[in-house]
Amino acid sequence: MTMAGDPAGRADGRRPDATRTNRWLVATAAGVLVAWAALRIGGEPPDLTARLTVHSVPYALALAALVGVVTGMDARKRSAALAVVTGTSGTAAFRAGPHRTLGWFSVVLLMSFGTLVVGPVDQWAEASAEGLSWYLGQLYLVPFTALFAAVLGAQVVAVVRGRTGVGLTPTGVEVREPFGARTIPWAALAPGTPGAWTAGRALDLDVRYPDLVTGWGLRWGSRRSPRIGLDYVNVHPGFLADVLRHYVDHPDERAGIGTPAGYDRLRRALGEDSC
C-alpha cells in the first residue's frame, strides 16, 4: 500500500473538511444575490456604466467561483487523513467530509439561478404593456426554472448539513453525495477492491453481493460496480483506496473502525505496508 500527503494523519474528533467554509460561501453568495436582485428590480442607476456594473455582478462572482472549483479539483492536494467521529445515532466512524469545491460549485449554481430568475422578472415588469402574448411566450422557462430550483435546493441542503463525504463504520462504507447516498457492507466487497488509484477523482468498487448494497437518490455506478466520486470529498483518492483495501482484506481490523486506537493501527499498517 502507498500513503500520500500528511503522514501523521488525524485521530481526534475534529473533521478534516470544509463544512464551515462552504456554509460561509453559500451564505455570502445568497446575501449578495438578494441585494443584487433588489437593486436590479427596484431601480437601476441611469448611468450606462453603472448599469453594466450592476448587471455583471453575478457573472463575475460565478466566474470567480468557477475558478475556485477548477483549482480545488487537484486530488493530489487532498487530505491523507480521516476524522474519528461519532454520529447522531451513536455509531463511531472514520470520515472524510466535504471539500471546499462543494461550496464553490454551489456559488456557481446560486449566481446562475439568480440571472435565470431576476432577468425575466425585470423584463416582465417592463413589458406589461405588451399584453398577454408576451407573458405566454415566456412560459417555457417555468419547468426549466423549477428543475434548476430543485437541484439548487438539494445542493444548498448538502452544504448546510455538511454530510457529503465518505464514512467507514465497522459494518461498511457509507457514501453521501449531494443528490443521493449509498451503503456498501464490507461483506459485499470482493477482496483487493478498490484497484490501484490512477489520476482520476473517483474509486470504482468491485461488489460480489450486489443485493447487500442499499441507497437512494442519484448515485454513481451500479450496485455491482458502485463508484465513489471524490470531487466534493476532502480526501486523497490514493489514501482512501489504501484504507478501503486494508479493511476489505483484514476483516479482523474492522471492529476498531471509529476509535482512536483503531485509527492508530490503521496508520501503522499503511506505513509498514508502504515501506
Side-chain angles (χ1 to χ4, degrees), residues 140-183:
Y140 73 95
L141 290 174
V142 174
F144 179 74
T145 303
L147 178 61
F148 201 154
V151 171
L152 177 60
Q155 188 86 2
V156 171
V157 168
V159 169
V160 172
R161 299 186 69 180
R163 299 184 66 185
T164 300
V166 179
L168 310 183
T169 70
T171 58
V173 183
E174 298 176 352
V175 183
R176 293 188 178 275
E177 298 171 334
F179 308 110
R182 176 179 273 136
T183 300

Side-chain angles (χ1 to χ4, degrees), residues 15-158:
R15 294 185 295 175
D17 63 31
T19 297
R20 290 184 179 179
T21 300
N22 291 342
R23 289 171 179 168
W24 181 87
L25 286 171
V26 169
T28 302
V32 171
L33 189 60
V34 170
W36 172 78
L39 181 60
R40 176 80 184 272
I41 298 174
E44 298 180 284
D47 180 70
L48 177 60
T49 302
R51 287 203 306 273
L52 291 177
T53 300
V54 170
H55 281 241
S56 67
V57 168
Y59 300 100
L61 291 180
L63 180 60
L66 188 60
V67 172
V69 172
V70 173
T71 57
M73 286 295 185
D74 189 351
R76 296 170 297 179
K77 297 180 180 179
R78 301 292 174 91
S79 172
L82 299 171
V84 181
V85 300
T86 301
T88 54
S89 62
T91 303
F94 295 150
R95 184 174 186 269
H99 190 262
R100 64 180 180 275
T101 51
L102 179 64
W104 283 121
F105 186 66
S106 299
V107 173
V108 174
L109 290 181
L110 270 170
M111 294 300 113
S112 301
F113 184 76
T115 58
L116 174 67
V117 173
V118 173
V121 169
D122 188 29
Q123 293 175 12
W124 291 347
E126 296 177 354
S128 57
E130 296 185 22
L132 182 61
S133 60
W134 189 92
Y135 291 95
L136 293 177
Q138 309 303 311
L139 289 180
Y140 73 95
L141 290 174
V142 174
F144 179 74
T145 303
L147 178 61
F148 201 154
V151 171
L152 177 60
Q155 188 86 2
V156 171
V157 168

